[in-house]
PDB file of all heavy atoms in Angstrom:
ATOM      1  N   PRO A   1       3.255  25.181  -9.984  1.00 44.00           N
ATOM      2  CA  PRO A   1       4.101  24.611 -11.036  1.00 44.00           C
ATOM      3  C   PRO A   1       3.639  25.099 -12.411  1.00 44.00           C
ATOM      4  O   PRO A   1       2.451  25.273 -12.638  1.00 44.00           O
ATOM      5  CB  PRO A   1       3.802  23.099 -10.847  1.00 44.00           C
ATOM      6  CG  PRO A   1       2.477  23.004 -10.264  1.00 44.00           C
ATOM      7  CD  PRO A   1       2.281  24.214  -9.396  1.00 44.00           C
ATOM      8  N   SER A   2       4.625  25.377 -13.189  1.00 46.00           N
ATOM      9  CA  SER A   2       4.361  25.736 -14.585  1.00 46.00           C
ATOM     10  C   SER A   2       4.015  24.429 -15.346  1.00 46.00           C
ATOM     11  O   SER A   2       4.199  23.310 -14.917  1.00 46.00           O
ATOM     12  CB  SER A   2       5.628  26.442 -15.241  1.00 46.00           C
ATOM     13  OG  SER A   2       6.675  25.436 -15.286  1.00 46.00           O
ATOM     14  N   LYS A   3       3.596  24.670 -16.615  1.00 41.00           N
ATOM     15  CA  LYS A   3       3.222  23.478 -17.483  1.00 41.00           C
ATOM     16  C   LYS A   3       4.438  22.563 -17.661  1.00 41.00           C
ATOM     17  O   LYS A   3       4.434  21.365 -17.750  1.00 41.00           O
ATOM     18  CB  LYS A   3       2.601  23.948 -18.728  1.00 41.00           C
ATOM     19  CG  LYS A   3       2.012  22.875 -19.568  1.00 41.00           C
ATOM     20  CD  LYS A   3       1.269  23.455 -20.720  1.00 41.00           C
ATOM     21  CE  LYS A   3       0.571  22.420 -21.615  1.00 41.00           C
ATOM     22  NZ  LYS A   3      -0.150  23.001 -22.745  1.00 41.00           N
ATOM     23  N   GLU A   4       5.614  23.247 -17.896  1.00 47.00           N
ATOM     24  CA  GLU A   4       6.837  22.549 -18.155  1.00 47.00           C
ATOM     25  C   GLU A   4       7.299  21.793 -16.972  1.00 47.00           C
ATOM     26  O   GLU A   4       7.720  20.576 -17.025  1.00 47.00           O
ATOM     27  CB  GLU A   4       7.975  23.536 -18.542  1.00 47.00           C
ATOM     28  CG  GLU A   4       7.704  24.179 -19.906  1.00 47.00           C
ATOM     29  CD  GLU A   4       6.710  25.310 -19.865  1.00 47.00           C
ATOM     30  OE1 GLU A   4       6.343  25.655 -18.847  1.00 47.00           O
ATOM     31  OE2 GLU A   4       6.270  25.692 -20.894  1.00 47.00           O
ATOM     32  N   THR A   5       7.166  22.353 -15.749  1.00 45.00           N
ATOM     33  CA  THR A   5       7.481  21.640 -14.507  1.00 45.00           C
ATOM     34  C   THR A   5       6.646  20.323 -14.343  1.00 45.00           C
ATOM     35  O   THR A   5       7.075  19.321 -13.995  1.00 45.00           O
ATOM     36  CB  THR A   5       7.258  22.534 -13.370  1.00 45.00           C
ATOM     37  OG1 THR A   5       8.040  23.656 -13.454  1.00 45.00           O
ATOM     38  CG2 THR A   5       7.659  21.798 -11.997  1.00 45.00           C
ATOM     39  N   VAL A   6       5.366  20.473 -14.668  1.00 38.00           N
ATOM     40  CA  VAL A   6       4.432  19.322 -14.511  1.00 38.00           C
ATOM     41  C   VAL A   6       4.859  18.234 -15.478  1.00 38.00           C
ATOM     42  O   VAL A   6       4.863  17.027 -15.153  1.00 38.00           O
ATOM     43  CB  VAL A   6       2.975  19.730 -14.841  1.00 38.00           C
ATOM     44  CG1 VAL A   6       2.119  18.538 -14.866  1.00 38.00           C
ATOM     45  CG2 VAL A   6       2.488  20.727 -13.796  1.00 38.00           C
ATOM     46  N   GLN A   7       5.348  18.569 -16.740  1.00 43.00           N
ATOM     47  CA  GLN A   7       5.766  17.582 -17.641  1.00 43.00           C
ATOM     48  C   GLN A   7       6.883  16.878 -17.168  1.00 43.00           C
ATOM     49  O   GLN A   7       7.170  15.605 -17.252  1.00 43.00           O
ATOM     50  CB  GLN A   7       5.990  18.266 -18.997  1.00 43.00           C
ATOM     51  CG  GLN A   7       4.710  18.735 -19.669  1.00 43.00           C
ATOM     52  CD  GLN A   7       4.962  19.514 -20.953  1.00 43.00           C
ATOM     53  OE1 GLN A   7       6.030  19.933 -21.210  1.00 43.00           O
ATOM     54  NE2 GLN A   7       3.954  19.716 -21.787  1.00 43.00           N
ATOM     55  N   ARG A   8       7.918  17.634 -16.555  1.00 48.00           N
ATOM     56  CA  ARG A   8       9.114  17.015 -16.020  1.00 48.00           C
ATOM     57  C   ARG A   8       8.767  16.063 -14.924  1.00 48.00           C
ATOM     58  O   ARG A   8       9.354  15.010 -14.765  1.00 48.00           O
ATOM     59  CB  ARG A   8      10.114  18.109 -15.477  1.00 48.00           C
ATOM     60  CG  ARG A   8      10.806  18.785 -16.736  1.00 48.00           C
ATOM     61  CD  ARG A   8      11.969  19.502 -16.144  1.00 48.00           C
ATOM     62  NE  ARG A   8      11.645  20.579 -15.165  1.00 48.00           N
ATOM     63  CZ  ARG A   8      11.337  21.798 -15.599  1.00 48.00           C
ATOM     64  NH1 ARG A   8      11.326  22.186 -16.818  1.00 48.00           N
ATOM     65  NH2 ARG A   8      11.046  22.722 -14.520  1.00 48.00           N
ATOM     66  N   GLN A   9       7.792  16.548 -14.030  1.00 43.00           N
ATOM     67  CA  GLN A   9       7.391  15.625 -12.979  1.00 43.00           C
ATOM     68  C   GLN A   9       6.786  14.279 -13.454  1.00 43.00           C
ATOM     69  O   GLN A   9       6.994  13.334 -12.848  1.00 43.00           O
ATOM     70  CB  GLN A   9       6.344  16.414 -12.110  1.00 43.00           C
ATOM     71  CG  GLN A   9       6.981  17.515 -11.239  1.00 43.00           C
ATOM     72  CD  GLN A   9       5.962  18.345 -10.565  1.00 43.00           C
ATOM     73  OE1 GLN A   9       4.775  18.373 -10.973  1.00 43.00           O
ATOM     74  NE2 GLN A   9       6.353  19.003  -9.513  1.00 43.00           N
ATOM     75  N   ARG A  10       6.067  14.421 -14.486  1.00 42.00           N
ATOM     76  CA  ARG A  10       5.439  13.181 -15.000  1.00 42.00           C
ATOM     77  C   ARG A  10       6.598  12.233 -15.580  1.00 42.00           C
ATOM     78  O   ARG A  10       6.446  11.026 -15.431  1.00 42.00           O
ATOM     79  CB  ARG A  10       4.504  13.549 -16.175  1.00 42.00           C
ATOM     80  CG  ARG A  10       3.163  14.233 -15.699  1.00 42.00           C
ATOM     81  CD  ARG A  10       2.298  14.619 -16.865  1.00 42.00           C
ATOM     82  NE  ARG A  10       1.110  15.151 -16.366  1.00 42.00           N
ATOM     83  CZ  ARG A  10       0.136  15.685 -17.210  1.00 42.00           C
ATOM     84  NH1 ARG A  10       0.377  15.820 -18.462  1.00 42.00           N
ATOM     85  NH2 ARG A  10      -0.950  16.247 -16.686  1.00 42.00           N
ATOM     86  N   ALA A  11       7.595  12.869 -16.197  1.00 45.00           N
ATOM     87  CA  ALA A  11       8.656  12.031 -16.766  1.00 45.00           C
ATOM     88  C   ALA A  11       9.430  11.348 -15.645  1.00 45.00           C
ATOM     89  O   ALA A  11       9.884  10.294 -15.785  1.00 45.00           O
ATOM     90  CB  ALA A  11       9.659  12.971 -17.548  1.00 45.00           C
ATOM     91  N   LEU A  12       9.510  12.001 -14.487  1.00 45.00           N
ATOM     92  CA  LEU A  12      10.216  11.460 -13.386  1.00 45.00           C
ATOM     93  C   LEU A  12       9.353  10.416 -12.553  1.00 45.00           C
ATOM     94  O   LEU A  12       9.872   9.774 -11.606  1.00 45.00           O
ATOM     95  CB  LEU A  12      10.644  12.484 -12.336  1.00 45.00           C
ATOM     96  CG  LEU A  12      11.765  13.406 -12.977  1.00 45.00           C
ATOM     97  CD1 LEU A  12      12.078  14.591 -12.035  1.00 45.00           C
ATOM     98  CD2 LEU A  12      13.114  12.591 -13.165  1.00 45.00           C
ATOM     99  N   GLY A  13       8.048  10.423 -12.923  1.00 45.00           N
ATOM    100  CA  GLY A  13       7.141   9.578 -12.070  1.00 45.00           C
ATOM    101  C   GLY A  13       7.524   8.134 -12.095  1.00 45.00           C
ATOM    102  O   GLY A  13       7.553   7.474 -11.040  1.00 45.00           O
ATOM    103  N   GLY A  14       7.872   7.557 -13.249  1.00 43.00           N
ATOM    104  CA  GLY A  14       8.217   6.139 -13.303  1.00 43.00           C
ATOM    105  C   GLY A  14       9.449   5.829 -12.510  1.00 43.00           C
ATOM    106  O   GLY A  14       9.543   4.865 -11.785  1.00 43.00           O
ATOM    107  N   ALA A  15      10.478   6.776 -12.576  1.00 43.00           N
ATOM    108  CA  ALA A  15      11.718   6.449 -11.914  1.00 43.00           C
ATOM    109  C   ALA A  15      11.545   6.494 -10.453  1.00 43.00           C
ATOM    110  O   ALA A  15      12.043   5.711  -9.623  1.00 43.00           O
ATOM    111  CB  ALA A  15      12.705   7.617 -12.353  1.00 43.00           C
ATOM    112  N   LEU A  16      10.617   7.444  -9.957  1.00 43.00           N
ATOM    113  CA  LEU A  16      10.383   7.512  -8.489  1.00 43.00           C
ATOM    114  C   LEU A  16       9.687   6.260  -8.103  1.00 43.00           C
ATOM    115  O   LEU A  16       9.884   5.839  -7.038  1.00 43.00           O
ATOM    116  CB  LEU A  16       9.576   8.764  -8.246  1.00 43.00           C
ATOM    117  CG  LEU A  16      10.173  10.095  -8.381  1.00 43.00           C
ATOM    118  CD1 LEU A  16       9.224  11.221  -8.226  1.00 43.00           C
ATOM    119  CD2 LEU A  16      11.300  10.172  -7.386  1.00 43.00           C
ATOM    120  N   GLY A  17       8.740   5.715  -8.925  1.00 45.00           N
ATOM    121  CA  GLY A  17       8.034   4.466  -8.591  1.00 45.00           C
ATOM    122  C   GLY A  17       9.068   3.258  -8.360  1.00 45.00           C
ATOM    123  O   GLY A  17       8.936   2.518  -7.528  1.00 45.00           O
ATOM    124  N   VAL A  18      10.055   3.282  -9.300  1.00 40.00           N
ATOM    125  CA  VAL A  18      10.991   2.170  -9.175  1.00 40.00           C
ATOM    126  C   VAL A  18      11.917   2.326  -7.920  1.00 40.00           C
ATOM    127  O   VAL A  18      12.128   1.378  -7.187  1.00 40.00           O
ATOM    128  CB  VAL A  18      11.967   2.161 -10.439  1.00 40.00           C
ATOM    129  CG1 VAL A  18      13.100   1.101 -10.307  1.00 40.00           C
ATOM    130  CG2 VAL A  18      11.092   1.767 -11.683  1.00 40.00           C
ATOM    131  N   LEU A  19      12.244   3.545  -7.571  1.00 45.00           N
ATOM    132  CA  LEU A  19      13.045   3.824  -6.398  1.00 45.00           C
ATOM    133  C   LEU A  19      12.443   3.407  -5.109  1.00 45.00           C
ATOM    134  O   LEU A  19      13.070   3.037  -4.130  1.00 45.00           O
ATOM    135  CB  LEU A  19      13.465   5.371  -6.388  1.00 45.00           C
ATOM    136  CG  LEU A  19      14.498   5.770  -7.339  1.00 45.00           C
ATOM    137  CD1 LEU A  19      14.718   7.233  -7.320  1.00 45.00           C
ATOM    138  CD2 LEU A  19      15.841   5.103  -7.151  1.00 45.00           C
ATOM    139  N   VAL A  20      11.084   3.635  -5.144  1.00 43.00           N
ATOM    140  CA  VAL A  20      10.387   3.231  -3.825  1.00 43.00           C
ATOM    141  C   VAL A  20      10.093   1.752  -3.721  1.00 43.00           C
ATOM    142  O   VAL A  20       9.586   1.312  -2.738  1.00 43.00           O
ATOM    143  CB  VAL A  20       9.108   4.039  -3.748  1.00 43.00           C
ATOM    144  CG1 VAL A  20       9.273   5.497  -3.815  1.00 43.00           C
ATOM    145  CG2 VAL A  20       8.088   3.541  -4.835  1.00 43.00           C
ATOM    146  N   LEU A  21      10.470   0.998  -4.829  1.00 46.00           N
ATOM    147  CA  LEU A  21      10.141  -0.447  -4.736  1.00 46.00           C
ATOM    148  C   LEU A  21      10.836  -1.168  -3.638  1.00 46.00           C
ATOM    149  O   LEU A  21      10.294  -1.902  -2.836  1.00 46.00           O
ATOM    150  CB  LEU A  21      10.579  -1.074  -6.069  1.00 46.00           C
ATOM    151  CG  LEU A  21      10.325  -2.590  -6.286  1.00 46.00           C
ATOM    152  CD1 LEU A  21       8.909  -2.915  -6.098  1.00 46.00           C
ATOM    153  CD2 LEU A  21      10.872  -3.046  -7.623  1.00 46.00           C
ATOM    154  N   ALA A  22      12.166  -0.975  -3.453  1.00 45.00           N
ATOM    155  CA  ALA A  22      12.932  -1.636  -2.417  1.00 45.00           C
ATOM    156  C   ALA A  22      12.466  -1.252  -1.000  1.00 45.00           C
ATOM    157  O   ALA A  22      12.211  -2.034  -0.116  1.00 45.00           O
ATOM    158  CB  ALA A  22      14.406  -1.324  -2.601  1.00 45.00           C
ATOM    159  N   PHE A  23      12.195   0.053  -0.915  1.00 47.00           N
ATOM    160  CA  PHE A  23      11.705   0.596   0.402  1.00 47.00           C
ATOM    161  C   PHE A  23      10.356  -0.071   0.852  1.00 47.00           C
ATOM    162  O   PHE A  23      10.126  -0.436   1.923  1.00 47.00           O
ATOM    163  CB  PHE A  23      11.572   2.137   0.292  1.00 47.00           C
ATOM    164  CG  PHE A  23      10.662   2.691   1.310  1.00 47.00           C
ATOM    165  CD1 PHE A  23      11.030   2.803   2.648  1.00 47.00           C
ATOM    166  CD2 PHE A  23       9.372   3.114   1.026  1.00 47.00           C
ATOM    167  CE1 PHE A  23      10.152   3.310   3.579  1.00 47.00           C
ATOM    168  CE2 PHE A  23       8.513   3.631   1.950  1.00 47.00           C
ATOM    169  CZ  PHE A  23       8.869   3.630   3.277  1.00 47.00           C
ATOM    170  N   GLY A  24       9.485  -0.099  -0.171  1.00 49.00           N
ATOM    171  CA  GLY A  24       8.128  -0.602   0.129  1.00 49.00           C
ATOM    172  C   GLY A  24       8.118  -2.023   0.439  1.00 49.00           C
ATOM    173  O   GLY A  24       7.413  -2.488   1.251  1.00 49.00           O
ATOM    174  N   LEU A  25       8.991  -2.813  -0.254  1.00 44.00           N
ATOM    175  CA  LEU A  25       9.082  -4.302   0.017  1.00 44.00           C
ATOM    176  C   LEU A  25       9.467  -4.549   1.347  1.00 44.00           C
ATOM    177  O   LEU A  25       8.960  -5.472   2.085  1.00 44.00           O
ATOM    178  CB  LEU A  25       9.983  -5.001  -1.029  1.00 44.00           C
ATOM    179  CG  LEU A  25       9.346  -5.119  -2.483  1.00 44.00           C
ATOM    180  CD1 LEU A  25      10.410  -5.614  -3.430  1.00 44.00           C
ATOM    181  CD2 LEU A  25       8.188  -6.049  -2.399  1.00 44.00           C
ATOM    182  N   THR A  26      10.543  -3.869   1.789  1.00 47.00           N
ATOM    183  CA  THR A  26      11.029  -4.075   3.180  1.00 47.00           C
ATOM    184  C   THR A  26       9.904  -3.703   4.217  1.00 47.00           C
ATOM    185  O   THR A  26       9.638  -4.338   5.198  1.00 47.00           O
ATOM    186  CB  THR A  26      12.240  -3.062   3.446  1.00 47.00           C
ATOM    187  OG1 THR A  26      13.206  -3.436   2.556  1.00 47.00           O
ATOM    188  CG2 THR A  26      12.746  -3.254   4.880  1.00 47.00           C
ATOM    189  N   TYR A  27       9.293  -2.535   3.957  1.00 46.00           N
ATOM    190  CA  TYR A  27       8.252  -2.112   4.858  1.00 46.00           C
ATOM    191  C   TYR A  27       7.097  -3.123   4.909  1.00 46.00           C
ATOM    192  O   TYR A  27       6.520  -3.379   5.935  1.00 46.00           O
ATOM    193  CB  TYR A  27       7.673  -0.712   4.403  1.00 46.00           C
ATOM    194  CG  TYR A  27       6.640  -0.169   5.288  1.00 46.00           C
ATOM    195  CD1 TYR A  27       6.962   0.577   6.398  1.00 46.00           C
ATOM    196  CD2 TYR A  27       5.295  -0.352   5.019  1.00 46.00           C
ATOM    197  CE1 TYR A  27       6.050   1.148   7.226  1.00 46.00           C
ATOM    198  CE2 TYR A  27       4.359   0.179   5.821  1.00 46.00           C
ATOM    199  CZ  TYR A  27       4.744   0.886   6.957  1.00 46.00           C
ATOM    200  OH  TYR A  27       3.814   1.430   7.870  1.00 46.00           O
ATOM    201  N   HIS A  28       6.828  -3.718   3.722  1.00 46.00           N
ATOM    202  CA  HIS A  28       5.657  -4.643   3.663  1.00 46.00           C
ATOM    203  C   HIS A  28       5.985  -6.010   4.370  1.00 46.00           C
ATOM    204  O   HIS A  28       5.231  -6.427   5.151  1.00 46.00           O
ATOM    205  CB  HIS A  28       5.245  -4.937   2.252  1.00 46.00           C
ATOM    206  CG  HIS A  28       4.382  -6.106   2.055  1.00 46.00           C
ATOM    207  ND1 HIS A  28       3.163  -6.127   2.606  1.00 46.00           N
ATOM    208  CD2 HIS A  28       4.459  -7.230   1.339  1.00 46.00           C
ATOM    209  CE1 HIS A  28       2.557  -7.181   2.332  1.00 46.00           C
ATOM    210  NE2 HIS A  28       3.310  -7.876   1.509  1.00 46.00           N
ATOM    211  N   PHE A  29       7.202  -6.623   3.897  1.00 44.00           N
ATOM    212  CA  PHE A  29       7.398  -7.951   4.385  1.00 44.00           C
ATOM    213  C   PHE A  29       7.990  -8.004   5.798  1.00 44.00           C
ATOM    214  O   PHE A  29       7.713  -8.901   6.546  1.00 44.00           O
ATOM    215  CB  PHE A  29       8.370  -8.596   3.432  1.00 44.00           C
ATOM    216  CG  PHE A  29       7.841  -8.843   2.113  1.00 44.00           C
ATOM    217  CD1 PHE A  29       8.492  -8.257   0.956  1.00 44.00           C
ATOM    218  CD2 PHE A  29       6.682  -9.568   1.831  1.00 44.00           C
ATOM    219  CE1 PHE A  29       7.960  -8.448  -0.263  1.00 44.00           C
ATOM    220  CE2 PHE A  29       6.188  -9.770   0.567  1.00 44.00           C
ATOM    221  CZ  PHE A  29       6.832  -9.256  -0.461  1.00 44.00           C
ATOM    222  N   PHE A  30       8.767  -6.953   6.167  1.00 45.00           N
ATOM    223  CA  PHE A  30       9.334  -6.974   7.482  1.00 45.00           C
ATOM    224  C   PHE A  30       9.227  -5.640   8.140  1.00 45.00           C
ATOM    225  O   PHE A  30      10.127  -4.890   8.408  1.00 45.00           O
ATOM    226  CB  PHE A  30      10.868  -7.373   7.319  1.00 45.00           C
ATOM    227  CG  PHE A  30      11.079  -8.751   6.618  1.00 45.00           C
ATOM    228  CD1 PHE A  30      11.436  -8.575   5.301  1.00 45.00           C
ATOM    229  CD2 PHE A  30      10.882  -9.824   7.348  1.00 45.00           C
ATOM    230  CE1 PHE A  30      11.594  -9.873   4.677  1.00 45.00           C
ATOM    231  CE2 PHE A  30      11.014 -11.089   6.690  1.00 45.00           C
ATOM    232  CZ  PHE A  30      11.393 -11.066   5.326  1.00 45.00           C
TER     233      PHE A  30
END
C-alpha cells in the first residue's frame, strides 16, 4: 500500500467498526 492508501484505510476504519457491530452482536449473543 502507498501512504495515501493507508490514510484512506484509516479513514474507513471507524466505519468498518460500526458495520461489524450488528454482525458481532448476533454472533456473541446467539
Side-chain angles (χ1 to χ4, degrees):
S2 66
K3 189 172 183 180
E4 292 76 11
T5 300
V6 173
Q7 291 174 344
R8 288 197 297 272
Q9 290 174 335
R10 288 175 176 173
L12 291 173
L16 290 174
V18 172
L19 287 175
V20 300
L21 179 60
F23 160 74
L25 285 170
T26 299
Y27 183 85
H28 169 60
F29 294 122
F30 304 100

